[in-house]
Amino acid sequence: MPSMTAKKKCCKDKPRCKKCPVVLKRLADAGCAERCDLRHYLVDKKIPKKVLKKARQR
């Protein structure tokens, strides 16, 4: 599993970027990522397209 670091603050893009803390939290809730500490996550290599799209929407 590759690790990913969340940004400090959301950049308010539409759709949200993949390193946004909100997106990583939603992926963790969906079971596609695992939270290590406050800003570090272990993310699955293959995230289903529908799950990623749902996590990135505003």
Side-chain angles (χ1 to χ4, degrees):
M1 284 183 159
S3 65
M4 193 174 240
T5 304
K7 299 184 322 183
K8 288 186 178 188
K9 192 172 134 180
C10 183
C11 58
K12 310 279 197 275
D13 280 349
K14 188 174 181 178
R16 296 179 197 269
C17 61
K18 293 178 184 177
K19 293 188 82 171
C20 180
V22 176
V23 172
L24 291 173
K25 166 103 174 59
R26 288 178 180 174
L27 288 176
D29 290 344
C32 295
E34 185 179 328
R35 192 173 191 166
C36 297
D37 59 28
L38 194 60
R39 288 180 51 206
H40 294 87
Y41 289 83
L42 294 174
V43 183
D44 292 340
K45 284 198 180 239
K46 276 285 200 184
I47 300 172
K49 209 171 191 177
K50 286 184 178 184
V51 173
L52 188 61
K53 190 172 182 178
K54 179 84 172 160
R56 291 182 70 193
Q57 77 182 10
R58 276 220 169 257

